[in-house]
Amino acid sequence: MDEPRPGALHHVELWVPDLDRAVASFGWLLESLGYTVFQEWEAGRSWRLGPTYLVVEQSPAMAGGRHERRAPGLNHLAFHVRDDREVERLAAEGAAHGWSLMFGDRHPFAGGAAHYAAYLENEDGFEVELVAAAVGAAPADR
């Protein structure tokens, strides 16, 4: 495991209304990004990349049944992705894993002309942003 840098993110825990759906959508995405399964228990799972891990848990203490990204709290998680080709691959394959493309009319520049990214939302209302570290691999005629 990489030595954590002081101030680096240790983990993020998302409470989800349906563990199986969360494992299907987040598990596929995180493993596609290089995370590996870290922990498994009856009500949750986690995946690790270096010293950071992400947890999905169906907690009995949870209030409400759907995440609302526009309410106070977590709006979205943003991940670095190798390049624009990988952004497009993940956006296209995401539909088979519970993700849908957001802001399709402005994709892949919904974040601005110099920001190549895909914004995806899963069935439970969680949003992820996949940001290309390099641009030039995918066709620019969008």
Side-chain angles (χ1 to χ4, degrees):
M1 180 174 83
D2 297 333
E3 182 67 27
R5 181 177 174 179
L9 192 63
H10 185 270
H11 73 276
V12 172
E13 185 168 330
L14 301 176
W15 281 12
V16 298
D18 186 293
L19 181 61
D20 290 335
R21 277 197 310 258
V23 168
S25 62
F26 278 105
W28 166 78
L29 179 63
L30 294 170
E31 290 172 28
S32 294
L33 294 172
Y35 285 71
T36 57
V37 175
F38 177 49
Q39 302 163 311
E40 296 184 46
W41 63 101
E42 185 177 335
R45 303 288 183 280
S46 69
W47 293 264
R48 179 185 285 276
L49 181 65
T52 304
Y53 63 97
L54 191 137
V55 176
V56 295
E57 182 176 4
Q58 188 172 346
S59 173
M62 183 174 56
R66 187 176 198 295
H67 176 70
E68 176 49 66
R69 65 183 179 78
R70 293 167 295 185
L74 178 73
N75 177 265
H76 70 280
L77 297 171
F79 297 94
H80 292 282
V81 176
R82 181 179 58 244
D83 57 31
D84 50 337
R85 183 172 290 158
E86 187 71 357
V87 167
E88 295 304 325
R89 182 186 73 77
L90 292 169
E93 292 179 11
H97 302 280
W99 296 100
S100 59
L101 183 66
M102 303 172 72
F103 319 118
D105 60 329
R106 294 179 282 153
H107 175 76
F109 298 107
H115 186 74
Y116 196 106
Y119 296 82
L120 306 177
E121 183 177 25
N122 75 5
E123 296 173 70
D124 292 315
F126 289 95
E127 178 185 344
V128 296
E129 179 181 355
L130 306 174
V131 182
V135 177
D141 56 347
R142 308 236 175 258

